[in-house]
């Protein structure tokens, strides 16, 4: 998982979404990407069950919060971030994706 403060490419972001989907969150990820349905929520516990524990712990430590606080915050923000990054129901190209990250 990449540090949240770092820019990532559209491909890396897409790979992250595929990882979440492959690990049991396909319906949720699909709802965030789709412009036809509302965003389904997830919990920090769901994220902790599918993400690498060491990477989450490192990111939480860097952010200065507990692993649970980090996961809960990510769970709260992720649906909105994905929704914003996929305005037409799909990931934009890298240039447009970089623009969305800086907006």
């Amino acid at each position: 998982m990449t540090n949240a403060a770092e820019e990532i490419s559209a491909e890396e972001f897409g790979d992250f979404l595929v990882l979440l989907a492959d690990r049991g969150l396909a319906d949720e990820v699909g709802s965030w990407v789709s412009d036809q349905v509302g965003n389904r929520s997830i919990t920090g516990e769901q994220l902790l069950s599918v993400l690498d524990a060491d990477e989450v712990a490192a990111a939480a430590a860097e952010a200065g919060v507990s692993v649970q606080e980090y996961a809960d915050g990510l769970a709260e923000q992720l649906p909105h971030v994905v929704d914003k990054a996929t305005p037409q129901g799909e990931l934009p190209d890298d240039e447009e994706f970089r623009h969305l990250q800086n907006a």
Side-chain angles (χ1 to χ4, degrees), residues 17 20-34 37-42 46:
L17 297 180
L20 293 177
D22 286 349
R23 293 186 178 174
L25 297 175
D27 290 341
E28 291 80 356
V29 171
S31 75
W32 308 336
V33 173
S34 174
V37 297
N39 290 338
R40 292 181 61 173
S41 62
I42 59 170
Q46 286 175 290

Side-chain angles (χ1 to χ4, degrees), residues 9-11 13-14 82-101:
S9 70
E11 182 178 355
F13 191 66
V82 175
D83 189 48
K84 182 180 176 185
T86 56
Q88 269 70 55
E90 60 184 50
L91 281 173
D93 62 33
D94 274 333
E95 183 177 332
E96 185 177 348
F97 187 74
R98 275 192 299 278
H99 174 72
L100 289 170
Q101 288 182 76

